[in-house]
């Protein structure tokens, strides 16, 4: 059992390293695709593993082990793996049907008949056919049945589950992360959707096919695609010649702006393919030659580089000499004896939690009480100016209030969770996704879901599907967005504070946080996370540890992009 735990931990680290490589890549906020501008996982893992062909005279178990091992060699549509299969079934078997990621050390092989074996695999994750990564919901073993037949005196597999069974270490070596991009409903932001594809051969084709199939199910209600539903590739592949990826789509565009959005979506989604420098889009065989758009969607919207905090007297950005007040807003917030707050775009508005509920205050208006309910968590003020307010004891009672100046009628938003106690609720900076940290008895969970809005930008629903994120170790304390696709959870354990970070759609990683950490906020990169301790000290990462950057603070406030 001890060996299994070590193996599982090491496998998780291997997957997290691959995800971190993509998190470090620099993606331009505008323009076309540029080769050599960033390091991606494809750059770092550029060696394909060569699997062994079947050995003459091999028994059933040797053939089965060889077939499973060949999942590490995706070249030529898994040519080597198909040599372990009987004719007919070799053409039928679909390697792209997904994958079960497990720990090879824990597999068991059992002969269940003269021509049949069952492999018991303990999953750590699964990969859906569209490349979406999902952590395993259970550690219960999965039985996988394989049937054998004789072909010219040699054993071959005549029936097997579709897709792959692959060890976690091999998965990290064979699969690379690639980020598809969709848009928020207003087409202001490019919204990431992280997927995993095997190898380097024709990965651009896998990316474009997945893009045309649409966003992950959990994300779909909150985003838009420039491509009409039902769009598909006219050809079987996306060829790359002299750095130009030619994408021919069976689709119709309504106007020039729609074509420009299609090109932007393709260019951003193919940015991780280093051999692609430019995209040439054709619709129904006709090359589209349109002028470059003057306005491009923002990738990874940025917030102020200095965190916002309250020190008991002043509310503003933390500088070298303490808290620098936000003109007009600081006095309004301080006057309400705040317990917590969030800042809106341009530092013009704040949502403030006080002893008598949630208020909205602004630099040029009167304070407005929004939610008088008891036991509220820190409110959210999203990039569209909408305030979110929820009682900790009833996580499904989420109420939103429209932007300042609009009618402040509360709207209850349907959410896909219930029960437990809400620790934190945070909306992504593009306004399309929400994370919720919920404690339920001895277990805590972090989930992400899409935000569905009406034509006025008011949220009407969250979900209905959720993306289950990393299990939270210890007592959950807070959660935050670190950038457009990375979230973090702060928790308290017997060994001290833990900070768990995770790219949505990738494995999580965890390391020690500052002593007695209580709350956190994100900056513009994963390493810009700040943690406030119980002693009121603001700590940031420095090398491999944490460094105190300010003291005497009461709380931190999440920011939104301008």
């Amino acid at each position: 059992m001890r060996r299994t735990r070590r193996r599982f931990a090491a496998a998780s680290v291997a997957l997290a390293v691959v995800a971190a490589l993509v998190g470090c890549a620099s993606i331009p906020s505008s323009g076309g695709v540029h080769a050599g501008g960033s390091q991606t996982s494809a750059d770092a893992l550029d060696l394909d593993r060569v699997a062994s062909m079947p050995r003459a005279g091999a028994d059933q178990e040797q053939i089965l082990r060889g077939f499973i091992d060949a999942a590490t060699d995706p070249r030529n549509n898994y040519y080597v793996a198909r040599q372990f299969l009987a004719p007919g079934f070799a053409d039928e078997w679909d390697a792209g049907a997904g994958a079960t990621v497990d720990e090879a050390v824990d597999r068991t092989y059992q002969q269940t008949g003269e021509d049949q074996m069952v492999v018991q695999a303990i999953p750590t994750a699964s990969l859906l056919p569209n490349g979406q990564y999902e952590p395993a919901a259970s550690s219960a073993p999965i039985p996988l049945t394989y049937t054998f037949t004789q072909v010219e005196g040699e054993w071959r597999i005549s029936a097997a589950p579709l897709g792959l069974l692959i060890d976690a270490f091999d998965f990290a070596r064979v699969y690379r992360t690639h980020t598809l991009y969709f848009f928020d409903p207003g087409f202001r932001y490019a919204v990431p959707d992280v997927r995993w594809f095997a190898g380097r051969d024709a990965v651009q084709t896998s990316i474009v096919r997945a893009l045309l199939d649409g966003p992950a199910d959990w994300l779909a209600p909150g985003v838009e695609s420039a491509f009409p539903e039902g769009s598909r590739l006219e050809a079987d592949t996306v060829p790359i010649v002299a750095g130009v990826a030619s994408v021919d789509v069976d689709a119709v565009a309504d106007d020039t702006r729609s074509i420009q959005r299609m090109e932007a979506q393709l260019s951003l989604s193919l940015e991780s393919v280093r051999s692609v420098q430019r995209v040439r889009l054709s619709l129904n065989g006709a090359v589209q030659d349109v002028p470059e758009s003057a306005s491009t969607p923002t990738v990874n919207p940025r917030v102020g580089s200095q965190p916002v905090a309250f020190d008991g007297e002043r509310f503003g950005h933390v500088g070298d000499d303490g808290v620098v007040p936000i003109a007009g807003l600081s006095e309004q917030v301080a006057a309400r004896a705040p317990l917590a707050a969030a800042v809106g775009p341009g530092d013009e508005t704040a949502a403030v939690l006080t002893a008598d509920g949630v208020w909205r205050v602004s630099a040029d208006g009167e304070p407005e009480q929004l939610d008088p309910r008891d036991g509220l968590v820190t409110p959210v003020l999203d990039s569209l100016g909408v305030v979110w307010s929820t009682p900790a004891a009833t996580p499904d009672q989420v109420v939103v209030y429209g932007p300042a100046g609009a009618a402040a009628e509360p709207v209850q938003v349907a959410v896909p969770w219930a029960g437990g106690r809400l620790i934190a609720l945070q909306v992504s900076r593009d306004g399309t996704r929400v994370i919720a940290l919920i404690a339920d008895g001895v277990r805590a969970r972090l989930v992400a879901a899409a935000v569905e809005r009406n034509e006025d930008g008011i949220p009407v629903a969250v979900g209905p599907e959720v993306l289950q994120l990393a299990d939270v170790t210890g007592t959950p304390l807070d959660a935050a967005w670190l950038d457009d696709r990375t979230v973090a959870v702060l928790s308290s354990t017997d060994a001290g504070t833990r900070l768990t970070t995770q790219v949505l759609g990738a494995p999580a990683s965890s390391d020690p946080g500052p002593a007695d950490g209580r709350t956190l906020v994100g900056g513009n990169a994963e390493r810009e996370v700040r943690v406030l301790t119980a002693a009121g000290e603001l700590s940031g990462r420095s090398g491999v540890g944490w460094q105190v950057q300010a003291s005497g603070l009461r709380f931190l406030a999440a920011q939104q992009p301008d």
Side-chain angles (χ1 to χ4, degrees):
M1 180 64 70
R2 188 172 300 168
R3 180 186 179 190
T4 298
R5 286 198 295 266
R6 286 200 300 265
R7 173 81 176 184
F8 178 79
S12 299
V13 169
L15 292 177
V17 167
V18 179
L21 289 172
V22 176
C24 293
S26 173
I27 300 176
S29 60
S30 63
V33 176
H34 304 282
S38 62
Q39 182 191 39
T40 67
S41 55
D43 296 318
L45 301 177
D46 206 19
L47 296 176
D48 287 327
R49 179 175 176 184
V50 178
S52 300
M53 297 285 282
R55 182 173 57 83
D59 61 25
Q60 291 180 13
E61 182 171 337
Q62 290 170 329
I63 290 295
L64 178 53
R65 288 179 180 270
F67 170 68
I68 293 173
D69 184 65
T72 63
D73 188 350
R75 295 172 306 147
N76 301 319
N77 193 21
Y78 293 89
Y79 172 82
V80 174
R82 295 182 193 278
Q83 306 313 301
F84 291 85
L85 306 180
F89 182 62
D91 296 328
E92 177 185 336
W93 177 67
D94 182 8
T100 297
V101 184
D102 76 335
E103 302 173 54
V105 70
D106 288 333
R107 289 179 196 154
T108 61
Y109 294 78
Q110 181 181 5
Q111 193 82 40
T112 55
E114 291 184 359
D115 59 355
Q116 189 176 84
M117 292 191 71
V118 171
V119 177
Q120 296 281 352
I122 299 177
T124 61
S126 63
L127 193 70
L128 303 185
N130 65 359
Q132 182 181 342
Y133 176 94
E134 290 186 344
S138 167
S139 59
I142 298 174
L144 303 171
T145 302
Y146 299 82
T147 304
F148 300 83
T149 188
Q150 287 273 336
V151 177
E152 298 181 358
E154 300 287 349
W155 287 111
R156 292 293 183 265
I157 298 170
S158 58
L162 298 181
L164 305 172
L165 174 62
I166 186 167
D167 173 70
F169 275 101
D170 289 332
F171 181 86
R173 296 164 56 187
V174 173
Y175 282 81
R176 282 89 165 174
T177 51
H178 298 272
T179 303
L180 310 185
Y181 281 93
F182 298 91
F183 301 106
D184 74 299
F187 292 93
R188 296 189 304 159
Y189 300 109
V191 182
D193 186 356
V194 173
R195 307 291 180 89
W196 297 71
F197 300 110
R200 293 171 293 151
D201 289 349
V203 68
Q204 71 276 5
T205 303
S206 298
I207 290 172
V208 174
R209 283 177 176 163
L211 185 70
L212 296 179
D213 284 343
D217 289 344
W218 74 269
L219 179 61
V223 297
E224 300 287 342
S225 176
F227 293 92
E229 186 174 354
S231 298
R232 60 180 179 82
L233 278 175
E234 287 277 15
D236 292 334
T237 62
V238 174
I240 302 173
V241 179
V244 178
S246 296
V247 182
D248 192 355
V249 181
D250 177 12
V252 176
D254 294 332
D255 50 33
T256 297
R257 190 73 185 107
S258 297
I259 297 172
Q260 291 171 334
R261 287 169 176 163
M262 291 178 180
E263 291 180 339
Q265 196 171 354
L266 285 168
S267 295
L268 287 170
S269 298
L270 289 170
E271 199 275 342
S272 60
V273 183
R274 58 181 180 170
S275 57
V276 176
Q277 299 176 358
R278 188 166 59 87
V279 174
R280 179 185 292 120
L281 173 64
S282 298
L283 298 178
N284 296 315
V287 176
Q288 303 300 303
D289 185 13
V290 297
E292 186 173 339
S293 174
S295 61
T296 56
T298 300
V299 178
N300 194 18
R302 298 177 63 83
V303 298
S305 59
Q306 296 175 315
V308 175
F310 179 63
D311 64 4
E313 296 180 358
R314 296 164 297 181
F315 179 77
H317 293 273
V318 179
D320 294 337
D321 298 322
V323 175
V324 179
I326 300 172
L329 191 63
S330 180
E331 298 84 353
Q332 295 270 28
V333 173
R336 307 235 66 81
L339 303 174
V343 184
D347 291 348
E348 295 178 354
T349 309
V352 183
L353 176 64
T354 71
D356 54 357
V358 168
W359 293 69
R360 175 163 45 210
V361 301
S362 59
D364 57 358
E366 291 296 321
E368 179 183 16
Q369 186 179 29
L370 300 178
D371 190 348
R373 292 178 294 177
D374 294 329
L376 299 170
V377 299
T378 300
V380 174
L381 182 51
D382 69 25
S383 59
L384 279 74
V386 175
V387 176
W388 301 58
S389 183
T390 314
T394 51
D396 59 341
Q397 299 298 304
V398 179
V399 173
V400 298
Y401 301 82
E409 294 298 324
V411 176
Q412 183 163 338
V413 177
V415 296
W417 55 75
R421 182 175 183 81
L422 181 66
I423 306 300
L425 184 76
Q426 292 291 339
V427 177
S428 62
R429 295 165 187 172
D430 52 35
T432 62
R433 295 153 293 161
V434 63
I435 55 171
L437 179 60
I438 302 171
D440 189 2
V442 296
R443 179 174 179 264
R445 57 195 175 104
L446 180 68
V447 298
V451 178
E452 183 179 354
R453 298 177 186 262
N454 63 19
E455 59 185 10
D456 297 320
I458 305 301
V460 294
V462 171
E465 295 193 24
V466 300
L467 177 66
Q468 297 287 347
L469 299 175
D471 289 338
V472 179
T473 302
T475 302
L477 300 172
D478 200 7
W481 289 88
L482 303 188
D483 57 31
D484 65 341
R485 56 183 175 177
T486 310
V487 297
V489 174
L490 191 68
S491 61
S492 175
T493 71
D494 292 340
T497 304
R498 300 293 296 179
L499 182 71
T500 301
T501 59
Q502 183 172 13
V503 172
L504 303 190
S509 61
S510 179
D511 58 357
D516 293 323
R518 290 295 181 266
T519 61
L520 77 160
V521 293
N524 292 305
E526 183 176 329
R527 288 194 60 82
E528 292 184 12
V529 60
R530 272 87 166 201
V531 175
L532 186 65
T533 69
E537 294 179 335
L538 177 68
S539 293
R541 289 190 182 275
S542 178
V544 296
W546 294 85
Q547 182 181 50
V548 175
Q549 299 176 344
S551 60
L553 304 180
R554 299 281 185 87
F555 62 77
L556 303 176
Q559 303 179 69
Q560 290 296 334
D562 291 342

